[in-house]
């Protein structure tokens, strides 16, 4: 049983970043809803209370049960978590006279305190709150302040219980990792032994135990997630893993044949299934993004139901679901976070499909998945591939999907991705693709007027997909790609470049 940190989620947009920072320190952690704290057995080394969109002064504010935690396990409250403890144990939280959001600087740091030791006076931190702690209980000690916030950090005397008003998990808190390491290593006494190798060893052992001699069907896409999931499962159950690669008609140019070829020599049992006509039929006339996603998901499951019947005694359906998929589709572990969009490979299966779901990567971020793959010596050409959405080009064609539009977008996308590779820019980009826009515009080619389609190019930098910034690709590169697309792809006379970040936009347009 691996030691771990528990993060209780109160709905903060930054909760998942806390988990990422903890994992980067080679310490395993889990996120759970504030009102569904798991059993605190001997493997739990400490607890973090996240921020929240709620105010502790609201009647509807979440009130966690800390009886089995406070004073018994190391406890760190971040933002809302800090305010909740100050408010609940006899202090006072009040509205800030000016809302403090963004960069701030510590004007006082107690370097004799175990949590803040080594941090600098003047250190930049990231604030995001509308309330402030006006008064702390008598047994609380201030250990950090800014010029505007006297209680930027505190410790309850005689306990390993701390609260901080700022967000150490955000990159803009320049010494945030130091503070988290102080808490995790010096207070919680975590051993920092959750490494890619240990994850592989533990996951393979768990898969062997859970699956036994059952047969598993896995949908391969050629992407990082499903490929790493396949290799993990293959290590655990060998020939009992049956991989299926479905051509939904929405893949990149020539991807179906290339993906099948890429798995040769890996020892995987892979079957290719061309179901493109079924997907096109289900998508006919659909323009709403959510309806398209659900239609694609429905056919995907129908195909797997049909294929599973051809594998005698198949019991499980494996999926390459990762943490951001889960977070954006449903509240994390049933928590209070907002649903942004559904993902086709997340959620329960219909009753008629008699397969249990297994998701070996569902608690990993994308960068962690790549590290796991490298620890298993997987091909870097697979691990280095940009993420590609499960619904494929179906959600990169705004409006209804037709075979003609898919053809056009495949050609545009091929030129964009090939050009990134040719110019040595591919590895500088986290994800790139083209979007077919539901508009036509006037153009001129030779002496003739045209009225044709427009596309948008999208390229972002990110570490985990939770946040992303648009790539500052060279103007000369964009000009070259635009010229190639307009000259080589019939039906396109205008190319645009998306310079939106996430948030407020998402990486995909649908």
């Amino acid at each position: 049983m691996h030691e771990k940190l528990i993060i209780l989620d109160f709905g903060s947009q930054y909760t998942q970043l806390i988990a990422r920072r903890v994992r980067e320190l080679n310490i395993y952690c889990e996120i759970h809803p504030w009102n569904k704290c798991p059993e605190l057995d001997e493997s739990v080394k400490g607890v973090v209370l996240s921020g929240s969109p709620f105010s502790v002064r609201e009647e509807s504010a979440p009130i966690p049960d800390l009886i089995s935690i406070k004073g018994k396990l190391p406890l760190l409250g971040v933002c809302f978590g800090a305010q909740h403890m100050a408010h609940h144990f006899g202090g006072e939280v009040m509205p800030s006279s000016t809302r403090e959001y963004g960069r701030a600087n510590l004007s006082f740091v107690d370097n004799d305190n175990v949590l803040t030791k080594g941090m600098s006076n003047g250190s930049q931190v990231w604030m995001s709150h509308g309330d402030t702690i006006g008064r702390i209980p008598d047994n609380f000690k201030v250990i950090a302040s800014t010029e505007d916030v006297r209680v930027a950090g505190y410790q309850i005397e005689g306990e390993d219980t701390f609260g901080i008003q700022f967000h150490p998990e955000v990159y803009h808190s320049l010494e945030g990792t130091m503070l988290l390491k102080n808490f995790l290593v010096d207070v919680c006494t975590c051993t920092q032994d959750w490494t890619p190798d240990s994850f592989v060893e533990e996951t393979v052992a768990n898969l062997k135990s859970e699956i036994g001699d059952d047969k598993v069907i896995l949908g391969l896409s050629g992407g990082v997630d499903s490929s790493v999931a396949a290799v993990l499962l293959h290590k655990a159950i060998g020939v009992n893993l049956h991989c299926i690669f479905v051509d939904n008609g929405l893949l990149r140019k020539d991807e179906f044949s290339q993906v099948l070829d890429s798995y040769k020599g890996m020892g995987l049992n892979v079957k290719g299934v061309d179901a493109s006509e079924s997907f096109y039929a289900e998508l006919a006339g659909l323009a709403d993004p959510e309806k398209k996603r659900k239609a694609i998901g429905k056919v995907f499951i129908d195909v797997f139901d049909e294929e599973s019947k051809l594998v005698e005694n198949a019991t499980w359906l494996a999926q390459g679901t990762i943490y951001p998929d889960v977070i954006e589709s449903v509240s994390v572990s049933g928590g209070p976070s907002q649903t942004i969009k559904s993902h086709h490979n997340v959620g329960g299966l219909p009753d008629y499909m008699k397969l249990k779901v297994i998701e070996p990567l569902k608690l990993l971020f994308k960068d962690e998945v790549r590290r796991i793959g490298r620890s298993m010596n997987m091909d870097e050409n697979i691990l280095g591939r940009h993420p590609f959405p499960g619904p494929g080009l179906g959600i990169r064609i705004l409006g209804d999907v037709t075979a003609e539009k898919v053809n056009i977008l495949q050609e545009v996308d091929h030129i964009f991705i090939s050009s990134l590779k040719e110019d040595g820019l591919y590895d500088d980009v986290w994800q790139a693709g083209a979007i077919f826009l539901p508009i036509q515009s006037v153009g001129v080619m030779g002496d003739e007027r045209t009225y044709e389609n427009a596309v948008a190019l999208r390229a972002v930098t990110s570490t985990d997909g939770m946040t992303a910034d648009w790539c500052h690709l060279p103007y000369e590169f964009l000009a070259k790609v635009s010229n190639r697309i307009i000259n080589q792809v019939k039906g396109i006379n205008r190319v645009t470049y998306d310079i939106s970040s996430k948030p407020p936009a998402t990486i995909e347009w649908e």
Side-chain angles (χ1 to χ4, degrees):
M1 188 178 295
H2 210 100
E3 65 180 29
K4 60 191 172 189
L5 178 82
I6 297 297
I7 302 170
L8 295 184
D9 179 22
F10 294 86
S12 169
Q13 62 178 318
Y14 297 134
T15 301
Q16 294 77 34
L17 287 179
I18 300 174
R20 288 203 70 257
R21 298 297 168 262
V22 174
R23 304 263 187 102
E24 287 170 358
L25 291 167
N26 293 332
I27 295 166
Y28 178 64
C29 63
E30 295 176 357
I31 298 174
H32 292 272
W34 65 270
N35 56 352
K36 295 181 181 177
C37 184
E39 179 184 352
L40 300 174
D41 56 33
E42 66 275 11
S43 69
V44 178
K45 305 290 286 184
V47 176
V48 170
L49 307 180
S50 82
S52 175
F54 290 96
S55 164
V56 298
R57 298 177 296 102
E58 297 175 24
E59 286 188 15
S60 58
I63 302 177
D65 182 0
L66 300 180
I67 292 176
S68 60
I69 302 173
K70 180 180 172 293
K72 300 172 183 175
L73 282 171
L75 177 62
L76 174 64
V78 176
C79 197
F80 174 89
Q83 292 182 358
H84 167 76
M85 290 192 289
H87 173 75
H88 189 70
F89 295 112
E92 183 180 8
V93 174
M94 60 188 67
S96 300
S97 55
T98 57
R99 184 170 183 265
E100 189 167 39
Y101 180 85
R103 294 173 179 83
N105 295 95
L106 297 178
S107 57
F108 161 71
V109 178
D110 183 354
N111 283 137
D112 292 327
N113 190 272
V114 65
L115 186 71
T116 50
K117 69 177 183 180
M119 296 183 70
S120 313
N121 281 327
S123 180
Q124 178 180 290
V125 295
W126 185 262
M127 296 284 192
S128 179
H129 58 99
D131 290 341
T132 192
I133 300 171
R135 179 175 56 81
I136 52 176
D138 292 340
N139 62 333
F140 282 44
K141 176 187 177 183
V142 175
I143 59 174
S145 305
T146 70
E147 289 194 4
D148 295 324
V149 178
R150 186 179 74 88
V151 188
Y154 64 73
Q155 179 179 7
I156 299 181
E157 294 178 342
E159 296 182 15
D160 287 331
T161 302
F162 306 84
I164 49 174
Q165 185 62 75
F166 54 93
H167 289 269
E169 69 275 19
V170 175
Y171 281 118
H172 301 298
S173 290
L174 300 183
E175 295 179 335
T177 299
M178 180 187 298
L179 183 147
L180 288 173
K181 185 177 181 181
N182 288 344
F183 178 70
L184 295 165
V185 176
D186 296 334
V187 181
C188 299
T189 67
C190 294
T191 53
Q192 296 182 274
D193 61 353
W194 192 69
T195 62
D197 287 343
S198 71
F199 175 85
V200 171
E201 182 180 345
E202 291 173 20
T203 301
V204 168
N206 291 336
L207 290 171
K208 284 180 178 178
S209 175
E210 187 171 6
I211 297 170
D213 294 326
D214 294 345
K215 292 181 179 179
V216 178
I217 297 175
L218 168 66
L220 282 175
S221 67
V224 178
D225 306 332
S226 65
S227 300
V228 173
V231 174
L232 276 170
L233 283 159
H234 184 69
K235 281 180 172 287
I237 63 173
V239 295
N240 281 341
L241 174 65
H242 295 258
C243 300
I244 299 168
F245 176 48
V246 176
D247 183 0
N248 58 11
L250 305 168
L251 302 174
R252 285 176 157 149
K253 183 180 180 180
D254 299 328
E255 189 168 22
F256 186 54
S257 58
Q258 290 173 0
V259 165
L260 289 176
D261 289 343
S262 72
Y263 288 112
K264 288 180 180 178
M266 292 179 65
L268 300 177
N269 175 22
V270 185
K271 178 181 179 182
V273 180
D274 183 355
S276 53
E277 292 305 318
S278 298
F279 282 91
Y280 284 148
E282 193 71 27
L283 285 167
L286 296 182
D288 178 77
E290 198 64 8
K291 288 180 180 178
K292 288 196 295 183
R293 283 179 175 270
K294 292 187 183 303
I296 292 167
K298 175 184 178 299
V299 179
F300 182 79
I301 287 176
D302 288 345
V303 171
F304 265 84
D305 183 43
E306 186 176 331
E307 291 299 324
S308 70
K309 293 172 183 174
L310 303 179
V311 180
E312 188 176 353
N313 298 321
T315 308
W316 299 85
L317 174 63
Q319 297 185 143
T321 309
I322 63 172
Y323 224 0
D325 295 339
V326 176
I327 293 162
E328 291 191 343
S329 297
V330 293
S331 302
V332 178
S333 304
S337 302
Q338 290 290 313
T339 296
I340 297 172
K341 59 188 176 183
S342 67
H343 287 255
H344 83 289
N345 62 339
V346 177
L349 295 174
D351 291 339
Y352 67 79
M353 191 173 183
K354 306 302 181 184
L355 292 177
K356 296 178 284 186
V357 173
I358 191 160
E359 300 166 313
L361 308 178
K362 68 180 180 180
L363 292 179
L364 296 182
F365 292 98
K366 177 71 74 173
D367 57 322
E368 293 177 317
V369 175
R370 287 194 169 100
R371 288 201 295 270
I372 298 302
R374 290 187 180 102
S375 77
M376 297 188 293
N377 299 313
M378 290 178 61
D379 188 339
E380 194 61 37
N381 288 327
I382 293 177
L383 297 178
R385 288 189 66 184
H386 290 176
F388 188 65
L393 301 181
I395 59 166
R396 291 184 178 176
I397 296 172
L398 307 193
D400 67 313
V401 177
T402 66
E404 181 185 8
K405 291 179 182 178
V406 171
N407 255 352
I408 291 173
L409 191 57
Q410 283 178 332
E411 294 298 329
V412 172
D413 179 86
H414 178 69
I415 290 172
F416 186 28
I417 298 300
S418 298
S419 298
L420 286 169
K421 291 178 178 178
E422 290 166 7
D423 283 42
L425 296 169
Y426 186 81
D427 292 336
D428 296 334
V429 177
W430 193 77
Q431 182 170 340
I435 297 90
F436 188 100
L437 303 180
I439 57 173
Q440 291 184 313
S441 66
V442 173
V444 59
M445 291 184 179
D447 294 325
E448 295 184 4
R449 176 186 184 274
T450 63
Y451 192 61
E452 293 181 325
N453 301 293
V455 292
L457 304 181
R458 179 79 157 138
V460 299
T461 57
S462 182
T463 54
D464 53 28
M466 297 304 301
T467 61
D469 196 10
W470 62 278
C471 272
H472 294 244
L473 296 175
Y475 289 143
E476 296 79 10
F477 171 81
L478 292 172
K480 179 180 70 174
V481 170
S482 173
N483 188 57
R484 285 181 63 186
I485 290 170
I486 292 172
N487 284 333
Q488 296 178 25
V489 184
K490 187 177 180 181
I492 299 296
N493 70 354
R494 192 174 298 271
V495 177
T496 66
Y497 188 57
D498 181 353
I499 58 170
S500 309
S501 296
K502 175 186 180 181
T506 53
I507 295 175
E508 300 293 341
W509 281 41
E510 290 191 341

